[in-house]
Every structure is written in C-alpha cells, then in structure tokens.
Amino acid sequence: APAPPPPPPVIDTGGDWTGAYGGVQLGYADVDGSGTADGDDILGGVHLGYDYDFGTFVLGGELDYDFADIDLNGAASVDSVARLKLRAGYDFGRTLGYFTAGVADLDTSIGSETGEFYGLGVAYQVTDRYTIGAELLEHSFDDIGGTGVEADATTLTLRGSIRF
C-alpha cells in the first residue's frame, strides 16, 4: 500500500490577540465647537486594555486618557479627554482591524462634559509582545460645563503597545 500523503504544512500567521496590553498614543485633534469655538492641535496620552481572540473575531475593552492644550479661538481650551471603549474586530493574523465606540469625558477650561464617540482602528503585531497601530475617532459633546456650548471632535492617533 502506498504511504499516506504528508500533512499540509502549518502556516504560522501569528496574531493571538488574547491578553492585556498598555501603551502610549500621539496624535492630532480637530475640534468644531459652537460659534467660533474651533481649534486643532496635537494630543497624547496612555491606554490600557484587554482583548479576547475568539479565532477570527476579537472583542475587547480599553481605557485611554489624552492630555491636550487645544485653544478654541479664545473661547475655551481643551485640557484632556478620557475614554471607555468597547472594541470589536477581525483577526487577520498579525493585523487586527476593529471598530470602537464608547463614552468620553472631555475636560475644558469652561467645564467638563460626557459624550459619545465611535471610530475605526488597526493594530499590527511587530512581535508577539509589541504592537503599533492607528485610530480615527469621531466625538460628540453637548452642553459643555452647563454652558450650552456643543463640540464635535475628530482625533487621529498613532499608538504603540506592549502586551502583558
């Protein structure tokens, strides 16, 4: 009897996304507020999260905090934004593409406001431990500090993370 055929080669696509991670981000924010309260500038901060890889579907949560000093044409300044995120994405191996949404707390010189955000992100595993990525988020805030001022903000950040 002929020998059975050899098993197909195992291709290591990498990409086990299960586990905790933390890192830093640096980016750009464009804020469109009520009237002339508009501005844009750099922002940067830290993030901490956890993902669970179900095979091709990845689900996770994250906390992040960005420091900022964005002048809104003298009407106010944005000092920081903190976010609580839910992430859901597709495992392409070493690349993870995901949607994210959640709540954000904006701190400004005229008060703070909780709003919502949504966006897209991508992460790439440089090694099993280190990832780089980018995230584009759209935010909406109503009645900042009880003043009636509204603001929409777009942020684009580059991210670096270490998986624990």
Side-chain angles (χ1 to χ4, degrees):
V10 175
I11 299 171
D12 180 15
T13 59
D16 181 7
W17 292 93
T18 297
Y21 62 91
V24 296
Q25 66 259 3
L26 180 65
Y28 172 80
D30 182 17
V31 181
D32 294 318
S34 300
T36 61
D38 301 330
D40 56 80
D41 209 338
I42 61 169
L43 52 78
V46 296
H47 57 268
L48 183 65
Y50 186 87
D51 288 326
Y52 190 84
D53 192 334
F54 291 92
T56 57
F57 178 70
V58 177
L59 187 63
E62 183 179 294
L63 291 171
D64 82 8
Y65 184 86
D66 281 323
F67 300 93
D69 186 14
I70 303 170
D71 177 38
L72 303 179
N73 282 332
S77 64
V78 174
D79 301 322
S80 66
V81 61
R83 298 176 199 87
L84 176 60
K85 299 177 178 178
L86 179 63
R87 298 182 351 153
Y90 188 82
D91 179 351
F92 293 97
R94 289 203 170 278
T95 303
L96 174 67
Y98 61 90
F99 296 100
T100 185
V103 295
D105 185 60
L106 181 71
D107 188 33
T108 74
S109 60
I110 60 171
S112 61
E113 179 65 23
T114 300
E116 62 275 348
F117 73 91
Y118 63 92
L120 298 170
V122 64
Y124 176 76
Q125 290 181 346
V126 178
T127 69
D128 289 342
R129 190 145 184 237
Y130 299 102
T131 63
I132 57 173
E135 211 169 63
L136 178 65
L137 304 177
E138 292 289 333
H139 306 73
S140 180
F141 301 99
D142 299 326
D143 196 23
I144 298 172
T147 62
V149 173
E150 298 178 1
D152 293 325
T154 302
T155 60
L156 176 62
T157 55
L158 299 177
R159 300 160 50 95
S161 304
I162 298 174
R163 302 194 75 82
F164 315 130

